[in-house]
Amino acid sequence: MSSLQLFLHRFETRGEAETIWLKEIFGFISEHLCPGLSEPAPLAADDVVTGVCADQLSVCLVKKLQENMAVTHVLPVSCRPVSVSALLSLQHVACVSNSSWTTNQQRAWEKEAELSVPGHLALPRVSLLLIGCLRVGQGGEWKLTDASGSVRCECLSPSPDWLNHPVFLPHWNYIPHNSPGQNQKVRGYVELIGSPAVLHSGPDQELAASPGEGAGFRRAVGVREATGLLHNRTRGQRISVYGLVGSVCPQLVVAGTTFFCFWLTDESHTVRVLVKDITRQWWTRCVYVGLSVCVTALRVCVLRGWRGNYILCVTDQSELHTNYTDTLLDTPPPLVMSHVENEDCEKVEPETDKAGFRMKKSRIISYRGTVTQVVSDAAGLYVIDRKVGLCLSYQPTLRRKLRAGDSVELHHVHFLYRPCPDFPPSMLCTCLRSSLRVTAFSGVVGAPPPDSGGLPRLLLEKNTGVSEYLWTCHLCSQLGHSLVPSLLKQHSVSVLSWKLMESVWRRGRRGRRDIYSEMLDDPHTCPLSQYTTDPTVHQYLSVSVLIGSLRSECWSSVSLSSLLPAGGSSLSRSQLNTALAWSCRTLTSDLQDGPRTGDSLGRRPLLLVGLLELPTLTSEPTVQLRDATGAVACVVTETSPEGGQGAVFNSAWIGCLVCVEQFTMVTERFLQSDFPSSQQLNQDKYITRKHCRVYLQFSLDHLHILSPSVAMTTHLGQRGEEIGGDGRERKQMVEEEETAGATTAGRKRRREASSVTVTTGPVDGSLRPCVSLVIRVEQKEGVAQRNRAAGLTVEEAGLTRCFSVRAAVVGPVVSWERDPKNGPVMDRETETEREDEVVLVLSGGSARWFPLLQPGCFYRLTAPNTQDPSVLIGSGFSGQRGVELHTDPTLQVQSDWRLHTLTRPPLQALPPTVLSVTEVLDSRSEMVCFQAQVCDRISLSDRTSGTGAGVCAGVRLTVCDQTGRTLQVYLDLSHTPYPLGLLPGNTLLLSGFQRRVSRSGGVYCRSLPVSSITVMSLGDTSSARPPPAPMMHLGVWALSREQSSIVGQVRGHVVCFLFLLLQWSCSLCGSPYLQTCSSSQCPSTLSVFHSTAKLVIDDGTGEAHVWFSGALVPALLGLADSTWEGLQRALRVRGHIRVTPRGRSMACDDPLLHFLLCVCSGDVGCRQLSLTCRKPNQQRAEAMKRFSRGEQDFMTRLTPPLQLSCLHLEAV
């Protein structure tokens, strides 16, 4: 009778299905299991089961299956055996197998697994039988083998008795390795849940004890005795030690040697055991904290790297015996925490100040919990119990990464409180002394986490602190979403994040880690013993998140009443809506001026990363900062060659990947409304339209270059500067195109492994032939929407952006085999007898160069794909016969032409003539170019459109210089793109403006279609004020005829009140208002309160008549707010009152008039005052007056008093 027939004879089959299943089992054992058992085991050949019989193993397997299912009368025909090779090649989905489950048990398990980790699905069940032999693989890993192959096997509490024996796995998970982009040679693994069922080749054979096991136990000593033997070392002595495992250090590989350490403890003593034998590395899977063990044949040795201390070392005869019992091993198990109270953490952790940083000491604890989130398995970051963070990066990378749903037990782990604001407040961090053990495998399917694979390698090289590492990991995750794949490749994100960390934190490197002291020293010290806390560390935001936050808080962060000036309740209808038409909110990146509670930006300094680009046809004509999520307009300044601040001019910045740390976020609010008065500001029905513009302001001096463009590399090389901070970064050579951030393809170049490279593209511009022309910009017109059809494509024809530049041609047109970009100027480029002038017309796509072209700067204009010099020679205009046109040649700049800034000019250029506000006021020229600081801004509405709200048609700027003199500038925005940066505090260069004189004699300026506005320097826009007004003497001021439109400070005393007028006026037409409007044609039913006062001030040098209005009147009278409101109510019925204190008796029947007379004539009305006043443009001229004395008449010339308008009032 054959072996198969003997096997079938042992079972009473009840059908053909069971017979077929038994044959399949027998065939599988014969084909896949027996051949593997016949081969000698690689490590312990004496444990191999010899004389293996297929029918005996098959019988044992079937009986184990029946015992596992608790059913003996039915065979589990639904369970099919699977070989290791079939499992690895065919099973591409994570699964679970349990041969003993019923349907109800499976459903209960699925529900429990999904409740433990919300948002995840339970592993699908498969009916597969996994049979093989457990053996030891490379590096001490356990693997399940059969004749077809092997698979890595992870066990919860493995026993040495399982090795090299045929086993059946009753309950297991299979996790395939199918992450995209990973090494396909790394295959999946099996998670063994519970103990395997060992298959015996004979019916009564049990696991035999190892030879000499009893003798080893009898000679074993405790930890106390072993401690004494360490200091009394005897050569050749071998000892056996038993005790509780107190700590298990992770497995390390140093200089090709693999080893790990563990501690044995009793009540008061500890010994360290070093395992270096390659055949004993599998012990690291068997020992865990709290396990009682006995280790035999240990020798005492000296560990050189550990200060010469003695340690027990495993030999090739050593054996490990787990679950060792002895009466002396009564040490209680270590205390394990399952939750952390954050309220008490801050009190118990001592803080010290070190080098200006807040330093804290970590605590050593043990913790047990469940992994609820995998933040980044490559970076070793997880979340336990939904509120405790876990960092495993200071240990070697785990062979099996933790999965969501795993139950873990940690010993000697560092507890840190708030090391990084981007992670949970409570953080657990493992070092080389910490022990991590998985006590239960996850039963759910987890999504692949973001890749941060390069960070642990950088941590090993740099040895940085845990706070910096956590911040870098969070930054890496965010950059992966905002820069990949349009700007960066995934492998560059880790290096970029690390560079940003080093530039932001600016902390010195630590020394190298002493791994032996970290594992073996007592008391324990490691890089996690102390850590820094900085709740104000920078917070990275993508461009889209930043823009979205600013837009969402644009109107919610402000009330309309707060936008009104002082005394806003007295504004008329037109004044009220004009004041609301434009407002601005500015926030600095350090958020010191906000935001308040509830704002989404928080209170941490902000950090931006993006690519500097030129504007598009649809965006504002300014430089843009772009990432993969969006783009934001930027008002940018930089240091000029002369050393001062000026507008951006260097084209080398275009295409650079930069980090912006210091910047100002600007939100301009535009409101079209028709509010009758300030009482209706809470009613949205009076709002016609509202929108906002969001942009940034910063200086290029505050940027950190992460990946330079080719032009920037050339520029920094010419200046002798380094690209990065260390020698390796200086060797990186990155080639990229300006507009697309693309690198030159096909050219060989060196790159360091740590370099950051912008994503490549198909553009190959630098190798194309071209012609160039060196120019110096003399004058630039403003960009506007013009009808330009010649030379443009069909898409660009029509109304498009256009501007022109008048430039001096420095030299002839030069041909190149490749684009010279911003390289040094050659002699042949400046060989010319005289400088000609040319007018460059830039429209459509070429208009993007508008923000970089500045007067006085040199540029190299290049035309690609040609060797014909005539393309860069301007053409003249042909006039009528007999008519001579004196015009400069005109050159239409094409959209694919490039302009490169030459920071080393070939010639010394004369700076353009720029006037100040004082010079403009005193000038006689009609066209002026001047520089001034913005001190006020008002939107001008066009109410001819038929709507009451009107449409914003322009802007009126009030600008000033250092002398305090002011000038009003009117901008027409009907045909020009909206200019950014016209904020109080910013300094502007206004070119091509027309100087006008008003009917009253005042000087103002207005924009023309050719006018250009450039932001030269950025001021404090949050609290921008004009320069302090100069102190003026009234006698000198009255005689001066040239000091018109000037603001000055006056300090004097009040001589007398000339008059005081208080009245209610119609909010629409301004007529007096009693119960109704006094004008019969006005339908308005709302009124506003107006107050005006005029008094005489004397400062000892002369007198002046000073006018006060609005909110200055109650301050002048010294009336409290409640008194002033009561006075307004008292005037409701009568409508108005006029008080003339001079020459009037104080006795009167009107109590209100009597009260005001007393106020104007009392001490409050006659006191010392400090005033800031403006001198009107027109003063009253001298007049001849006739006096009669008796019979004689006298004619005399009277000088009128100086008339001033008060702007600010302070009591002395």
Side-chain angles (χ1 to χ4, degrees):
M1 184 178 294
S2 64
S3 299
L4 175 60
Q5 293 175 343
L6 291 174
F7 169 67
L8 296 175
H9 184 70
R10 291 177 179 265
F11 300 96
E12 296 181 2
T13 59
R14 293 174 175 81
E16 183 179 359
E18 292 186 351
T19 302
I20 296 175
W21 182 81
L22 289 175
K23 291 181 179 179
E24 185 179 355
I25 291 294
F26 183 84
F28 182 86
I29 295 294
S30 303
E31 181 181 356
H32 293 91
L33 187 58
C34 292
L37 296 177
S38 301
E39 300 176 358
L43 299 178
D46 53 338
D47 290 338
V48 178
V49 179
T50 57
V52 177
C53 185
D55 62 336
Q56 294 176 352
L57 289 176
S58 302
V59 170
C60 184
L61 173 61
V62 174
K63 289 184 177 180
K64 291 289 185 181
L65 277 171
Q66 291 178 331
E67 293 175 2
N68 190 48
M69 298 179 61
V71 177
T72 58
H73 61 279
V74 178
L75 296 177
V77 295
S78 61
C79 299
R80 299 295 179 181
V82 60
S83 64
V84 171
S85 62
L87 179 70
L88 295 175
S89 60
L90 300 180
Q91 187 64 35
H92 302 296
V93 179
C95 60
V96 60
S97 176
N98 193 322
S99 57
S100 64
W101 276 346
T102 62
T103 303
N104 292 334
Q105 290 175 334
Q106 177 187 352
R107 291 175 180 174
W109 174 85
E110 290 178 350
K111 183 177 181 180
E112 180 182 359
E114 293 176 354
L115 288 177
S116 63
V117 189
H120 292 74
L121 298 177
L123 292 173
R125 182 187 178 185
V126 294
S127 298
L128 298 177
L129 300 179
L130 199 55
I131 309 166
C133 183
L134 285 176
R135 299 190 186 276
V136 176
Q138 185 179 6
E141 68 177 14
W142 290 48
K143 61 181 182 179
L144 184 72
T145 64
D146 62 9
S148 64
S150 63
V151 61
R152 181 161 58 90
C153 189
E154 298 290 341
C155 308
L156 295 176
S157 300
S159 171
D161 299 333
W162 301 345
L163 285 177
N164 304 320
H165 287 280
V167 294
F168 153 64
L169 307 186
H171 190 182
W172 51 273
N173 299 335
Y174 176 68
I175 308 299
H177 191 92
N178 53 3
S179 300
Q182 300 294 329
N183 187 1
Q184 298 302 322
K185 295 182 179 180
V186 181
R187 299 182 294 180
Y189 62 92
V190 171
E191 297 174 342
L192 177 56
I193 303 173
S195 300
V198 180
L199 303 179
H200 308 299
S201 58
D204 300 324
Q205 183 177 351
E206 299 294 339
L207 296 178
S210 301
E213 181 178 326
F217 285 166
R218 286 192 298 269
R219 296 192 302 268
V221 297
V223 175
R224 181 191 299 269
E225 293 81 0
T227 305
L229 295 175
L230 284 176
H231 301 285
N232 299 305
R233 176 185 176 191
T234 303
R235 182 176 297 275
Q237 184 182 14
R238 299 293 186 268
I239 61 175
S240 299
V241 183
Y242 61 85
L244 287 177
V245 177
S247 179
V248 181
C249 301
Q251 194 177 47
L252 300 179
V253 180
V254 178
T257 301
T258 305
F259 65 94
F260 76 98
C261 302
F262 63 92
W263 292 39
L264 293 180
T265 65
D266 60 8
E267 294 180 352
S268 58
H269 294 80
T270 60
V271 293
R272 290 86 166 166
V273 180
L274 176 64
V275 183
K276 291 182 62 178
D277 192 345
I278 190 62
T279 62
R280 301 295 187 271
Q281 292 303 311
W282 56 271
W283 288 12
T284 186
R285 305 292 189 276
C286 299
V287 293
Y288 53 88
V289 176
L291 179 68
S292 60
V293 300
C294 178
V295 187
T296 63
L298 296 173
R299 66 183 179 91
V300 180
C301 62
V302 176
L303 188 60
R304 294 181 180 179
W306 185 42
R307 305 173 187 173
N309 291 337
Y310 293 105
I311 191 172
L312 295 177
C313 188
V314 171
T315 64
D316 53 357
Q317 289 86 26
S318 299
E319 295 179 357
L320 173 68
H321 304 281
T322 58
N323 297 319
Y324 180 80
T325 58
D326 190 274
T327 56
L328 298 177
L329 293 179
D330 55 357
T331 303
L335 179 63
V336 180
M337 301 173 61
S338 59
H339 67 282
V340 177
E341 296 294 340
N342 292 340
E343 292 78 5
D344 301 331
C345 297
E346 200 71 46
K347 301 178 182 178
V348 299
E349 293 183 344
E351 294 187 9
T352 59
D353 291 332
K354 182 179 180 181
F357 303 117
R358 296 179 59 191
M359 301 294 296
K360 287 187 177 181
K361 292 183 177 179
S362 62
R363 290 191 299 168
I364 304 299
I365 65 172
S366 298
Y367 191 88
R368 181 186 295 118
T370 302
V371 178
T372 53
Q373 180 185 354
V374 179
V375 180
S376 174
D377 57 0
L381 296 176
Y382 307 88
V383 176
I384 304 178
D385 300 333
R386 301 185 183 92
K387 60 180 181 180
V388 180
L390 175 62
C391 176
L392 305 179
S393 303
Y394 286 80
Q395 282 190 349
T397 305
L398 297 176
R399 183 176 283 106
R400 176 200 178 270
K401 304 296 179 63
L402 296 181
R403 299 192 294 115
D406 285 345
S407 296
V408 295
E409 185 176 287
L410 299 119
H411 293 278
H412 203 280
V413 64
H414 292 263
F415 173 76
L416 295 77
Y417 189 68
R418 298 191 186 278
C420 179
D422 297 313
F423 282 83
S426 299
M427 287 293 300
L428 301 178
C429 298
T430 58
C431 64
L432 296 182
R433 176 80 177 276
S434 306
S435 304
L436 169 65
R437 174 177 172 241
V438 179
T439 58
F441 292 123
S442 171
V444 298
V445 180
D451 182 24
S452 304
L455 293 179
R457 177 183 58 84
L458 293 172
L459 176 63
L460 181 63
E461 296 176 358
K462 310 291 185 177
N463 190 23
T464 186
V466 62
S467 301
E468 295 93 320
Y469 178 75
L470 293 177
W471 184 86
T472 307
C473 291
H474 180 72
L475 178 65
C476 182
S477 175
Q478 291 185 307
L479 291 179
H481 294 90
S482 61
L483 298 181
V484 176
S486 61
L487 297 183
L488 284 182
K489 293 183 178 179
Q490 184 64 48
H491 64 81
S492 299
V493 175
S494 299
V495 180
L496 174 64
S497 304
W498 202 271
K499 283 188 175 183
L500 283 174
M501 183 273 294
E502 293 178 336
S503 64
V504 170
W505 288 74
R506 298 184 180 92
R507 301 182 183 179
R509 296 183 180 181
R510 301 186 179 188
R512 298 182 61 182
R513 293 175 66 179
D514 189 344
I515 60 174
Y516 297 110
S517 297
E518 189 173 333
M519 292 188 297
L520 306 175
D521 272 355
D522 195 10
H524 172 71
T525 57
C526 73
L528 299 175
S529 299
Q530 283 190 332
Y531 62 99
T532 60
T533 58
D534 188 3
T536 61
V537 68
H538 284 75
Q539 174 187 4
Y540 169 78
L541 292 180
S542 65
V543 172
S544 62
V545 171
L546 177 67
I547 295 177
S549 300
L550 295 176
R551 290 186 182 276
S552 63
E553 297 167 3
C554 172
W555 299 102
S556 62
S557 61
V558 66
S559 61
L560 295 182
S561 59
S562 65
L563 302 179
L564 300 178
S569 59
S570 63
L571 296 178
S572 64
R573 186 172 190 168
S574 60
Q575 293 173 335
L576 175 67
N577 292 283
T578 300
L580 296 174
W582 178 88
S583 60
C584 179
R585 181 196 187 206
T586 60
L587 289 174
T588 57
S589 57
D590 55 7
L591 300 181
Q592 295 300 317
D593 49 359
R596 302 295 179 253
T597 304
D599 289 352
S600 60
L601 295 179
R603 301 195 66 86
R604 292 166 53 191
L606 300 181
L607 188 74
L608 298 177
V609 176
L611 197 71
L612 290 179
E613 290 186 340
L614 294 173
T616 62
L617 289 174
T618 58
S619 64
E620 292 85 355
T622 60
V623 176
Q624 289 187 325
L625 183 73
R626 182 178 67 87
D627 62 9
T629 64
V632 60
C634 304
V635 177
V636 185
T637 62
E638 67 174 309
T639 302
S640 62
E642 291 76 18
Q645 280 292 314
V648 57
F649 64 93
N650 194 351
S651 61
W653 286 97
I654 304 303
C656 292
L657 185 68
V658 297
C659 168
V660 191
E661 293 186 42
Q662 300 179 26
F663 58 93
T664 301
M665 298 163 282
V666 182
T667 305
E668 294 189 24
R669 295 177 287 240
F670 302 90
L671 183 68
Q672 295 180 15
S673 60
D674 193 21
F675 288 103
S677 68
S678 60
Q679 302 174 1
Q680 286 78 30
L681 292 180
N682 58 347
Q683 302 180 21
D684 294 341
K685 65 180 181 179
Y686 295 105
I687 298 177
T688 305
R689 180 174 179 263
K690 62 181 181 180
H691 67 284
C692 65
R693 290 180 182 270
V694 175
Y695 58 94
L696 305 180
Q697 292 188 156
F698 56 84
S699 172
L700 294 179
D701 302 331
H702 299 152
L703 299 187
H704 179 68
I705 301 177
L706 303 176
S707 179
S709 63
V710 178
M712 180 56 68
T713 305
T714 304
H715 171 66
L716 295 179
Q718 292 176 355
R719 294 175 54 186
E721 295 184 359
E722 299 175 356
I723 295 176
D726 57 339
R728 292 176 301 172
E729 292 175 340
R730 289 196 299 268
K731 291 187 287 184
Q732 67 179 4
M733 299 174 61
V734 186
E735 304 241 347
E736 59 222 312
E737 293 298 321
E738 292 87 348
T739 56
T743 63
T744 303
R747 181 181 178 184
K748 295 183 180 179
R749 49 194 183 267
R750 297 175 297 164
R751 286 191 183 95
E752 289 293 321
S754 61
S755 63
V756 178
T757 306
V758 176
T759 304
T760 58
V763 181
D764 187 15
S766 63
L767 297 180
R768 296 179 296 183
C770 64
V771 292
S772 70
L773 182 68
V774 177
I775 61 173
R776 182 181 68 247
V777 175
E778 302 291 342
Q779 182 183 356
K780 180 178 72 169
E781 294 183 358
V783 62
Q785 299 287 346
R786 296 186 177 94
N787 191 1
R788 294 276 180 174
L792 300 181
T793 62
V794 177
E795 293 78 7
E796 295 176 337
L799 201 63
T800 183
R801 288 186 183 178
C802 179
F803 73 99
S804 61
V805 171
R806 183 178 298 275
V809 179
V810 176
V813 179
V814 179
S815 300
W816 304 85
E817 294 182 359
R818 54 173 296 173
D819 190 352
K821 296 186 180 294
N822 60 334
V825 179
M826 301 298 179
D827 294 338
R828 57 176 179 155
E829 294 183 89
T830 58
E831 295 175 352
T832 181
E833 297 180 357
R834 65 183 183 91
E835 290 187 357
D836 297 328
E837 287 195 351
V838 64
V839 176
L840 303 180
V841 179
L842 299 95
S843 58
S846 62
R848 69 185 186 275
W849 297 101
F850 177 80
L852 295 181
L853 294 176
Q854 308 300 341
C857 296
F858 288 81
Y859 300 89
R860 178 183 281 127
L861 175 64
T862 62
N865 296 327
T866 183
Q867 292 284 315
D868 183 9
S870 63
V871 299
L872 292 181
I873 298 177
S875 60
F877 292 96
S878 60
Q880 297 179 358
R881 180 177 300 177
V883 179
E884 183 180 357
L885 296 179
H886 298 279
T887 60
D888 295 321
T890 302
L891 180 62
Q892 178 75 44
V893 178
Q894 303 301 319
S895 59
D896 61 339
W897 291 7
R898 303 292 178 89
L899 283 160
H900 301 287
T901 307
L902 301 177
T903 55
R904 289 188 174 184
L907 301 174
Q908 186 68 29
L910 295 176
T913 303
V914 179
L915 305 179
S916 64
V917 172
T918 301
E919 293 172 335
V920 172
L921 292 173
D922 300 336
S923 175
R924 299 296 181 182
S925 301
E926 183 179 0
M927 300 295 294
V928 292
C929 173
F930 61 99
Q931 185 169 312
Q933 179 182 345
V934 181
C935 55
D936 191 18
R937 167 179 170 152
I938 295 177
S939 291
L940 303 179
S941 299
D942 181 12
R943 295 188 175 272
T944 61
S945 58
T947 61
V951 178
C952 180
V955 174
R956 190 191 74 185
L957 298 178
T958 302
V959 297
C960 63
D961 56 12
Q962 296 299 323
T963 65
R965 302 187 68 178
T966 59
L967 175 69
Q968 290 186 344
V969 181
Y970 293 85
L971 306 179
D972 182 9
L973 305 180
S974 57
H975 298 290
T976 61
Y978 181 80
L980 303 182
L982 306 184
L983 307 180
N986 287 352
T987 301
L988 307 179
L989 176 64
L990 301 103
S991 304
F993 276 73
Q994 185 181 21
R995 181 184 179 273
R996 302 289 296 272
V997 179
S998 64
R999 296 178 181 178
S1000 61
V1003 177
Y1004 69 95
C1005 291
R1006 62 185 292 264
S1007 65
L1008 300 174
V1010 295
S1011 300
S1012 173
I1013 303 177
T1014 306
V1015 179
M1016 301 300 292
S1017 65
L1018 306 176
D1020 185 4
T1021 57
S1022 60
S1023 58
R1025 292 182 180 180
M1031 185 64 66
M1032 303 296 295
H1033 295 290
L1034 295 178
V1036 178
W1037 207 359
L1039 297 177
S1040 174
R1041 298 304 177 188
E1042 298 180 358
Q1043 300 283 341
S1044 61
S1045 298
I1046 191 172
V1047 177
Q1049 296 186 43
V1050 177
R1051 181 168 296 183
H1053 69 278
V1054 179
V1055 176
C1056 63
F1057 270 80
L1058 297 180
F1059 75 88
L1060 172 67
L1061 175 63
L1062 306 177
Q1063 71 173 5
W1064 285 94
S1065 304
C1066 177
S1067 64
L1068 183 59
C1069 66
S1071 302
Y1073 193 97
L1074 279 72
Q1075 300 297 326
T1076 59
C1077 181
S1078 58
S1079 176
S1080 59
Q1081 299 179 352
C1082 181
S1084 175
T1085 59
L1086 298 174
S1087 61
V1088 294
F1089 187 75
H1090 290 288
S1091 58
T1092 306
K1094 184 180 181 181
L1095 50 80
V1096 179
I1097 293 290
D1098 188 350
D1099 68 345
T1101 64
E1103 292 185 352
H1105 292 185
V1106 185
W1107 294 79
F1108 296 81
S1109 61
L1112 295 176
V1113 176
L1116 174 66
L1117 300 177
L1119 300 179
D1121 293 340
S1122 58
T1123 306
W1124 186 251
E1125 293 174 0
L1127 188 61
Q1128 296 179 33
R1129 290 193 299 269
L1131 284 174
R1132 271 291 186 182
V1133 178
R1134 57 196 304 176
H1136 72 282
I1137 186 172
R1138 184 182 179 91
V1139 181
T1140 309
R1142 186 174 57 172
R1144 189 184 185 98
S1145 174
M1146 299 292 294
C1148 61
D1149 298 334
D1150 189 349
L1152 183 58
L1153 179 61
H1154 177 73
F1155 170 76
L1156 293 176
L1157 286 172
C1158 293
V1159 171
C1160 295
S1161 303
D1163 296 336
V1164 174
C1166 301
R1167 66 186 191 275
Q1168 292 284 340
L1169 296 176
S1170 177
L1171 308 177
T1172 302
C1173 301
R1174 181 190 302 275
K1175 182 181 179 181
N1177 294 318
Q1178 281 189 336
Q1179 296 287 326
R1180 291 164 52 187
E1182 294 181 350
M1184 300 297 295
K1185 190 171 183 179
R1186 183 188 301 273
F1187 291 93
S1188 299
R1189 287 296 181 264
E1191 296 180 356
Q1192 294 183 353
D1193 295 337
F1194 299 92
M1195 295 291 294
T1196 183
R1197 180 173 299 179
L1198 296 180
T1199 302
L1202 175 65
Q1203 304 290 323
L1204 300 176
S1205 298
C1206 183
L1207 304 177
H1208 183 67
L1209 167 67
E1210 289 184 4
V1212 179

